[in-house]
Amino acid sequence: MIEPTQEKLVYNPKELEPLLQLSKNTINALLRSGRLRSVRVGRRYLIPRDAVQQFLAGTAQS
């Protein structure tokens, strides 16, 4: 599972790029497809920590 240095409850897509070692475009595609669960606040996507853990475990809901 992902073990960030700080206990963050939510991440933005830019913060996930180095953690998941994925490009900005790939993360955005995962968000749009629903494979990576997120909450949209205005124009921003916020990704809960448990959604990242589910994605990494392969149990993300489609």
Side-chain angles (χ1 to χ4, degrees):
M1 295 291 166
I2 192 168
E3 294 295 332
T5 55
Q6 297 178 354
E7 284 294 317
K8 292 188 67 128
L9 296 177
V10 294
Y11 296 91
N12 64 45
K14 188 156 187 77
E15 292 173 320
L16 289 182
E17 289 176 34
L19 291 174
L20 298 179
Q21 298 182 355
L22 296 173
S23 73
K24 174 184 169 182
N25 291 336
T26 301
I27 291 173
N28 288 334
L30 290 169
L31 293 171
R32 283 192 305 274
S33 71
R35 290 184 55 210
L36 181 57
R37 188 170 41 88
S38 65
V39 176
R40 190 151 181 195
V41 179
R43 296 179 66 184
R44 297 179 60 198
Y45 285 99
L46 299 177
I47 301 101
R49 180 178 54 205
D50 66 324
V52 176
Q53 292 172 335
Q54 287 176 348
F55 175 76
L56 291 174
T59 60
Q61 304 269 334
S62 295

